[in-house]
Amino acid sequence: MKHIEAILMKFAMSFAVVFLILGLIYGVSVFDIFVISLVITVIGYVGDMLLFPRTSNKIATAGDLVLAFLIVWLLGEFLIGNTDFSILAATIYTAILIAAGEWFYHIYLKKRLWEQKETSHTLKQEPNKK
């Protein structure tokens, strides 16, 4: 159940960002936004489950930035086609906002999914060795 909640949260965040940038600013259809958000969610969640536990929040967020950029750019070219706007600029804005959201999403994953109290801004302290 925790995984379903985490996937739905990731989809909601991705859809909100993609809708804000591509939908409201650039006028892309809701269906195209839904498909792009769904692909970001599925591939990104698999990446989060594989990469984030083995690395840091910074590395996982950087990976999400690159992933969001590539997905929005490639699917944007394929789904949207000829546009009256620069798909590259829209992709950059979307990827940056998604990466910002992913930073906090990873903290959520660590606390709720893996139930660790440590967040990205706390330091790991070695136990006192006596």
Side-chain angles (χ1 to χ4, degrees), residues 2 4 6 8 14 18 20 22 35 63 73 75 82 90-91 97 105-106 111 121 124:
K2 289 182 181 181
I4 293 172
L8 290 175
S14 297
V18 175
L20 175 71
L22 295 180
V35 171
W73 180 45
L75 285 179
N82 277 341
T91 298
L97 281 179
Y105 178 73
H106 294 150
K111 286 182 175 181
H121 61 274
K124 290 184 180 178

Side-chain angles (χ1 to χ4, degrees), residues 52-84:
F52 181 55
R54 293 169 177 80
T55 61
S56 67
N57 195 356
K58 290 177 188 176
I59 293 172
T61 301
D64 285 323
L65 174 77
V66 172
L67 180 72
F69 177 83
L70 290 173
I71 290 172
V72 174
W73 180 45
L74 294 173
L75 285 179
E77 288 287 340
F78 178 72
L79 293 173
I80 301 166
N82 277 341
T83 60
D84 296 336

Side-chain angles (χ1 to χ4, degrees), residues 3-121:
H3 285 282
I4 293 172
E5 180 182 309
I7 290 169
L8 290 175
M9 181 174 286
K10 186 174 187 80
F11 177 77
M13 187 259 310
S14 297
F15 186 85
V17 170
V18 175
F19 182 76
L20 175 71
I21 302 294
L22 295 180
L24 295 180
I25 296 175
Y26 292 104
V28 174
S29 75
V30 176
F31 177 75
D32 292 342
I33 291 168
F34 178 81
V35 171
I36 291 169
S37 301
L38 189 62
V39 172
I40 289 172
T41 301
V42 171
I43 296 173
Y45 192 74
V46 171
D48 285 340
M49 293 300 108
L50 296 174
L51 184 66
F52 181 55
R54 293 169 177 80
T55 61
S56 67
N57 195 356
K58 290 177 188 176
I59 293 172
T61 301
D64 285 323
L65 174 77
V66 172
L67 180 72
F69 177 83
L70 290 173
I71 290 172
V72 174
W73 180 45
L74 294 173
L75 285 179
E77 288 287 340
F78 178 72
L79 293 173
I80 301 166
N82 277 341
T83 60
D84 296 336
F85 61 90
S86 169
I87 192 69
L88 188 60
T91 298
I92 292 169
Y93 302 142
T94 304
I96 289 171
L97 281 179
I98 285 177
E102 288 287 341
W103 178 268
F104 297 103
Y105 178 73
H106 294 150
I107 294 171
Y108 161 83
L109 283 180
K110 198 165 212 174
K111 286 182 175 181
R112 291 278 294 158
L113 197 63
W114 295 302
E115 297 178 359
Q116 296 176 359
K117 300 299 179 204
E118 180 184 325
T119 61
S120 61
H121 61 274

